[in-house]
Amino acid sequence: GDSVTQMEGPVTLSEEAFLTINCTYTATGYPSLFWYVQYPGEGLQLLLKATKADDKGSNKGFEATYRKETTSFHLEKGSVQVSDSAVYFCALTATYGQNFVFGPGTRLSVLP
Amino acid sequence: EAQVTQNPRYLITVTGKKLTVTCSQNMNHEYMSWYRQDPGLGLRQIYYSMNVEVTDKGDVPEGYKVSRKEKRNFPLILESPSPNQTSLYFCASSLGLNSPLHFGNGTRLTVT
């Protein structure tokens, strides 16, 4: 079945460092891809999305490009802030029906 | 304001005492879903519903029931809770195919 793999972390960075969180997927057909963020004590929020190959999703300085050839959707940010500390989830809409598949989440801690 | 509302936020109960966690969305979304989040296990889907009166099992449905009598509501029922159902639960909804999920703020359940 469809699945998502992402680096589990935790990832610890200093403020203003470059961030990459890797995400790869397995799916038949052409899923849409998403990154969600969960701040402490809150539900998940959509960070960005891409619906077809070569699309780039971006929001709040974060970017991810839908790479069909490598089945990847890596999350990047050029300069992280302390306020970016959270858990990040990669997800896709499964090929069958409208169901969602989530990766295990990556905890990011940014130190001042 | 568009939102998914779960109640209660926190619940402590004893083994075997039936409980219901409510979920309501005001966005006229067709798709709704329940997840549980446990340390080291990420998000696991319990049940989902693609429309009124249509529900399907997710990855971990045992011990749970749901109903979808109205479009806006999707309650999660634990007929006889057990300690292994202690978890953080999230309800989510979506407009449909390839549309992002909107999450509630979560219900932290403790079963003693």
Side-chain angles (χ1 to χ4, degrees), chain A residues 32-91:
Chain A
S32 290
L33 303 174
F34 305 86
W35 276 100
Y36 284 84
V37 59
Q38 183 180 29
Y39 298 104
E42 298 183 13
L44 280 72
Q45 304 172 26
L46 178 67
L47 182 59
L48 53 85
K49 70 172 186 176
T51 57
K52 61 183 188 298
D54 299 325
D55 267 4
K56 177 187 281 188
S58 61
N59 187 25
K60 299 181 182 179
F62 291 90
E63 293 183 341
T65 301
Y66 190 145
R67 301 284 189 203
K68 191 170 186 299
E69 63 277 12
T70 54
T71 62
S72 65
F73 193 54
H74 305 322
L75 181 68
E76 297 182 335
K77 187 175 185 182
S79 176
V80 293
Q81 305 301 311
V82 173
S83 57
D84 293 327
S85 298
V87 181
Y88 292 82
F89 293 89
C90 186

Side-chain angles (χ1 to χ4, degrees), chain B residues 72-93:
Chain B
R72 63 183 293 125
N73 295 324
F74 191 45
L76 179 69
I77 303 156
L78 284 71
E79 295 269 5
S80 183
S82 62
N84 65 11
Q85 293 178 300
T86 293
S87 186
L88 179 58
Y89 291 87
F90 288 102
C91 180
S93 72

Side-chain angles (χ1 to χ4, degrees), chain A residues 8 30-32 34 36 38 41-46 49 51 87 89 93-94 96-105, chain B residues 9 30-31 33 35 37 40-43 45 48 50 88 90 94-106:
Chain A
E8 293 201 28
Y30 304 97
S32 290
F34 305 86
Y36 284 84
Q38 183 180 29
E42 298 183 13
L44 280 72
Q45 304 172 26
L46 178 67
K49 70 172 186 176
T51 57
V87 181
F89 293 89
T93 47
Y96 178 73
Q98 305 171 176
N99 218 355
F100 286 78
V101 177
F102 284 86
Chain B
R9 287 294 308 273
E30 292 191 346
Y31 178 92
S33 182
Y35 296 86
Q37 185 177 26
L41 297 176
L43 277 172
Q45 189 179 51
Y48 64 98
M50 294 196 182
L88 179 58
F90 288 102
S94 167
L95 188 60
L97 188 63
N98 294 328
S99 297
L101 279 171
H102 297 256
F103 282 83
N105 282 330

Side-chain angles (χ1 to χ4, degrees), chain A residues 7-39:
Chain A
M7 54 193 291
E8 293 201 28
V11 174
T12 302
L13 295 173
S14 297
E15 204 164 25
E16 299 183 4
F18 184 86
L19 168 71
T20 299
I21 301 177
N22 291 335
C23 171
T24 57
Y25 67 90
T26 302
T28 54
Y30 304 97
S32 290
L33 303 174
F34 305 86
W35 276 100
Y36 284 84
V37 59
Q38 183 180 29
Y39 298 104

